[in-house]
Amino acid sequence: MLTFDNLGEAAEEELGEPVARGAHHSVTQELPVVLKLLDRVGLKATFFVEAINTERYPDALRRIVDDGHELGCHGWRHETFSAQTAPRKRALLGASTRALRAMGAAVTGFRPPGGALDGSDLRLLAGAGLDWASPAGTVAGEAAGVACLPFRWPLIDAYFFAPPLAPLRVRDGLPPAPAAPRHFAAAIARAIDGALDGEAETPLCLVLHPYLYTSQSRLRALEELVLRLGRLRARGEAIVGPGREIATDQRARGAHLPTPVLDASSWATSVSAEQEHR
């Protein structure tokens, strides 16, 4: 499953950082490069974006949709989902999905900012017309009519590149400094190899962030990854696509999917990893 998270300054603004609205480099510089690369190899992806971008960057969202990619919900302004009350969660999901769908996108997927999701949240997602989600977790499955396709923190690019995620790297026995792109590339290559060898039934979920690709070395690593995924798909060796496609495939493989195993606590009790990596 190929996914991209975050757009614009939403996450920085949610953290209270000073930002200039309406001209974020992730939209003006990195997003066009990513879209061009995906088009070059004929791959489609899910872009989980904060719904405030319907006001800030409507043209960018229209281009994502017009290029055939999926828009997924990532909150309104990257609010840590697990920190909200149930009524607040319901309100955020309603406002966010309405705004994104007004862009002409059939928004059916959700990734919670912060990564954490629990079983009771799945009913809220279903009530908002969302039928698949991608939280942190270990086992794919389905509950309350929502297919869960989880990601693992050590397989997101921010785990390797974002300075604020140093505590997470240290926890896992790695140096605190951001890793070289070759280390990211090697880790993802090993994960892909394992998926191709059938080591796990849970689909491999790749989580990438356009705003991180500000250097030529990182861009080369991204290009090599996307080119490999394109070759695997073209040869019929793997299904590679957006979350809605993978969710459909999972449902087709078995009518009785297991109960998903979710990471309801995220990677730390005091902070949200997805938010802190900004």
Side-chain angles (χ1 to χ4, degrees), residues 208-252:
L208 306 169
H209 296 76
Y211 80 89
L212 287 172
Y213 294 91
T214 55
S215 70
Q216 287 302 312
S217 58
R218 289 184 185 177
L219 280 172
R220 282 195 298 271
L222 177 64
E223 181 179 28
E224 290 171 4
L225 169 60
V226 171
L227 289 174
R228 183 184 183 189
L229 294 174
R231 289 193 298 270
L232 290 173
R233 186 176 189 276
R235 296 170 182 166
E237 298 175 25
I239 296 172
V240 181
R244 63 188 175 200
E245 181 179 337
I246 306 302
T248 297
D249 176 74
Q250 286 289 288
R251 287 187 170 109

Side-chain angles (χ1 to χ4, degrees), residues 146-226:
V146 178
C148 287
L149 302 170
F151 70 88
R152 291 181 286 153
W153 289 111
L155 290 178
I156 68 171
D157 53 4
Y159 175 90
F160 295 89
F161 298 146
L165 258 65
L168 183 55
R169 293 188 288 270
V170 170
R171 184 202 70 177
D172 292 342
L174 300 174
R182 68 178 183 276
H183 296 309
F184 161 70
I188 301 303
R190 287 193 297 271
I192 292 174
D193 290 341
L196 293 174
D197 289 340
E199 292 180 357
E201 293 184 2
T202 292
L204 176 63
C205 179
L206 299 180
V207 183
L208 306 169
H209 296 76
Y211 80 89
L212 287 172
Y213 294 91
T214 55
S215 70
Q216 287 302 312
S217 58
R218 289 184 185 177
L219 280 172
R220 282 195 298 271
L222 177 64
E223 181 179 28
E224 290 171 4
L225 169 60
V226 171

Side-chain angles (χ1 to χ4, degrees), residues 65-123:
V65 174
D66 289 346
D67 281 3
H69 301 293
E70 178 182 21
L71 275 189
C73 180
H74 203 38
W76 180 263
R77 201 181 68 172
H78 208 271
E79 304 84 357
T80 302
F81 196 69
S82 61
Q84 313 302 316
T85 64
R88 177 61 175 159
K89 289 176 179 178
R90 187 178 293 107
L92 284 171
L93 288 170
S96 299
T97 54
R98 283 193 298 271
L100 291 169
R101 288 166 183 159
M103 303 298 299
V107 178
T108 60
F110 176 70
R111 175 167 286 149
L117 203 63
D118 62 39
S120 63
D121 292 332
L122 299 181
R123 291 188 291 273

